[in-house]
Amino acid sequence: MRRWHRRLSWVAGLAMLLWAGSGLLHPLMSWTNPLPVAFSPPAVDAEISIDQLQPLESVLRNLGVREVSYARVLRQDSAWLWQWADADRVGWHYADAVTGQALPDADRQRAELLARHFSGAVEAVADAERLTRFTSEYPAVNRLLPVWRIRFDRKDRLSVYVHTGEDRLGSLNDRRKNALLVVFQAVHTLAWLDSAEWMRLPLIAAAVLSVLAMAMLGLVMLSVPAAKAGVTSARRLHRLLAWVIWAPALMLGGSGLFHLLTQSPLRASVAASPSVYAVEALRTPGRLDQPAQSITLLPARGAQAFWRVESTGRVSLLDASSGHVHPGGDAELAVALAGLPMTAMATPQAGFSDEYGFANKRLPVWRLESADHLLFVDSRAGVVAARVNPLDVAEQSSFSRLHKWQFLNPLGHAARDLILSLAALLLIAGAVAGLTLRQRRTATRV
């Protein structure tokens, strides 16, 4: 056991140094990240009178649009606009809802409006870029795409990432966060190998397995009484640190390996294509029974589509082909959006859980059960926010508890981060002590 412990020391010790060191950046980023001044979308101070607007189908036909995957009425700069998404739900388009005139620059204007709303920035916009893929500064953990990156003309280079289709904040970055993200991703996840997952996956797995093997071997060796004669102070210190760090090493390494294997792009399933609805079959409702706060067109599975009309304390569904009231509400809409039989049970969920983790972004959602998956549906945006199987639930639970140490949340986030940072520092100290002993042994042999 001692022989194998020493053989693994170089690989496992260096891996522990790199991962524990870069892991310290995570709480540092959470403490220093720029914070939004608002978490909800801008409030609309006017009620929608849909009978005074041009019907959506007329606007789309005049603009040559044949299919739509999402549409809504929104208020921007004191004007009512139709916003819709094309068939792949990547491009967002706008037209004046009164005149029907296309507004080609309205998406960038809405992105700037949202960026100022969420960040409170008043400076001029230095740069605006539309992103359709994740980057080192806007990694996949943010989930939302496509987004606009609005960078303001200020010393900290504040960048705000916003999703204009759902009026959501994707991320807030500044110069400090961008620098920390580059280091964290390069060291902690080997992001520079993202294009070669076949190499990244076995490389990280081998390094993590060496840490786990060394920790388990060390634990067995700790159970054997140490010889007192000839034991140096450095070896005594290493043994003392080992008593403290073996549990964090196994917890962090094991949960990290589980996360790596289950979240690898090699295992990723193909995302379902957005549901679309033919414009020729569409009918915009006329006068509503009561003033509406939001009106959204949501195509569902099986050539269905619904108008979701939200009024004060009430959600109504209208059939998109006739404009007639459809029985049911948000729960029935969630079932239809998921493509499940209408007998499926939908349960509202207002918070994150082991089944539906923080990384999924969207709340509130509806929780539904299918034969082999849990589905979480955002009925306001008309999207399936997550499809989760039992393996995913186990991974999310282990990662939150054993890797992020969220079992310490009752102590407060600051206390949790401090304890986790202390554990990382002790892991670094244990690795340094072990590598020092290994180097001395090598030098003695030479």
Side-chain angles (χ1 to χ4, degrees):
M1 283 187 296
R2 287 192 180 92
R3 188 179 301 117
W4 275 105
H5 190 75
R6 286 194 295 267
R7 286 174 177 171
L8 293 170
S9 59
W10 284 118
V11 175
L14 290 173
M16 193 180 295
L17 279 176
L18 292 173
W19 279 322
S22 57
L24 284 171
L25 297 179
H26 202 276
L28 180 60
M29 284 190 286
S30 68
W31 297 337
T32 61
N33 281 353
L35 298 176
V37 299
F39 293 90
S40 301
V44 178
D45 57 0
E47 293 173 332
I48 303 170
S49 299
I50 196 166
D51 55 318
Q52 298 178 9
L53 308 179
Q54 278 205 34
L56 176 61
E57 62 271 23
S58 299
V59 173
L60 297 181
R61 279 199 297 264
N62 290 337
L63 295 175
V65 180
R66 296 184 177 181
E67 291 181 325
V68 61
S69 62
Y70 172 91
R72 63 171 174 159
V73 183
L74 57 84
R75 185 84 166 167
Q76 185 164 303
D77 296 331
S78 301
W80 290 110
L81 309 182
W82 281 115
Q83 180 200 53
W84 68 92
D86 50 23
D88 59 6
R89 204 159 178 171
V90 173
W92 298 93
H93 311 278
Y94 300 74
D96 188 297
V98 176
T99 66
Q101 180 182 0
L103 303 172
D105 200 38
D107 199 39
R108 186 199 60 78
Q109 293 171 2
R110 183 148 193 89
E112 182 178 332
L113 181 151
L114 292 172
R116 293 190 185 280
H117 169 78
F118 286 120
S119 68
V122 297
E123 295 82 2
V125 173
D127 178 59
E129 182 182 1
R130 188 170 176 275
L131 304 178
T132 57
R133 62 181 182 84
F134 297 108
T135 67
S136 59
E137 295 181 358
Y138 185 73
V141 69
N142 292 295
R143 297 296 175 97
L144 300 176
L145 276 181
V147 294
W148 279 88
R149 185 198 67 191
I150 305 297
R151 189 171 71 242
F152 291 98
D153 187 13
R154 40 193 276 180
K155 291 182 179 179
D156 63 356
R157 292 176 62 84
L158 180 69
S159 296
V160 187
Y161 296 82
V162 291
H163 190 291
T164 53
E166 299 177 27
D167 291 347
R168 292 185 185 273
L169 174 65
S171 180
L172 275 176
N173 288 22
D174 59 10
R175 190 191 303 270
R176 180 191 296 108
K177 181 179 177 180
N178 286 338
L180 294 176
L181 272 173
V182 169
V183 177
F184 181 80
Q185 293 177 89
V187 178
H188 206 79
T189 64
L190 302 191
W192 44 279
L193 284 176
D194 278 351
S195 60
E197 180 67 8
W198 58 271
M199 182 187 301
R200 189 187 77 98
L201 182 65
L203 182 61
I204 297 180
V208 175
L209 286 171
S210 71
V211 172
L212 295 175
M214 191 178 70
M216 288 186 287
L217 288 168
L219 178 60
V220 176
M221 290 164 59
L222 287 174
S223 65
V224 179
K228 296 183 179 180
V231 176
T232 63
S233 58
R235 191 172 296 278
R236 223 178 276 117
L237 174 62
H238 182 58
R239 187 178 179 88
L240 177 63
L241 286 169
W243 278 111
V244 180
I245 66 174
W246 69 265
L250 291 177
M251 291 167 64
L252 295 170
S255 59
L257 181 61
F258 191 16
H259 179 75
L260 170 75
L261 296 176
T262 55
Q263 298 300 312
S264 171
L266 296 180
R267 180 180 172 267
S269 56
V270 178
S273 300
S275 300
V276 295
Y277 197 67
V279 171
E280 62 182 15
L282 179 63
R283 179 179 174 184
T284 303
R287 185 180 296 274
L288 301 173
D289 294 338
Q290 62 184 42
Q293 295 173 318
S294 72
I295 300 177
T296 311
L297 173 68
L298 301 172
R301 303 294 170 189
Q304 278 186 307
F306 302 93
W307 287 101
R308 181 184 185 274
V309 181
E310 186 170 354
S311 306
T312 304
R314 176 186 172 188
V315 173
S316 303
L317 298 183
L318 305 178
D319 189 291
S321 62
S322 65
H324 296 156
V325 176
H326 189 280
D330 255 5
E332 288 75 13
L333 176 60
V335 173
L337 291 170
L340 298 180
M342 294 309 292
T343 54
M345 180 69 68
T347 306
Q349 182 163 327
F352 297 110
S353 63
D354 287 343
E355 296 174 340
Y356 185 73
F358 176 78
N360 291 296
K361 293 282 188 180
R362 295 178 172 90
L363 280 180
V365 292
W366 291 89
R367 179 185 182 277
L368 300 95
E369 294 188 24
S370 69
D372 54 354
H373 283 83
L374 292 175
L375 294 96
F376 296 87
V377 178
D378 182 348
S379 58
R380 295 188 181 195
V383 297
V384 176
R387 295 177 184 270
V388 181
N389 60 37
L391 182 64
D392 297 321
V393 174
E395 185 277 324
Q396 290 181 28
S397 178
S398 73
F399 196 71
S400 62
R401 287 176 169 78
L402 303 181
H403 207 83
K404 295 186 174 181
W405 288 21
Q406 290 184 3
F407 63 89
L408 296 175
N409 281 357
L411 301 178
H413 289 184
R416 179 202 67 196
D417 289 346
L418 285 172
I419 295 172
L420 186 54
S421 298
L422 176 60
L425 289 171
L426 290 172
L427 286 168
I428 292 172
V432 169
L435 290 173
T436 301
L437 288 173
R438 186 73 176 89
Q439 176 62 26
R440 288 179 181 177
R441 181 180 178 88
T442 303
T444 302
R445 284 183 172 181
V446 173

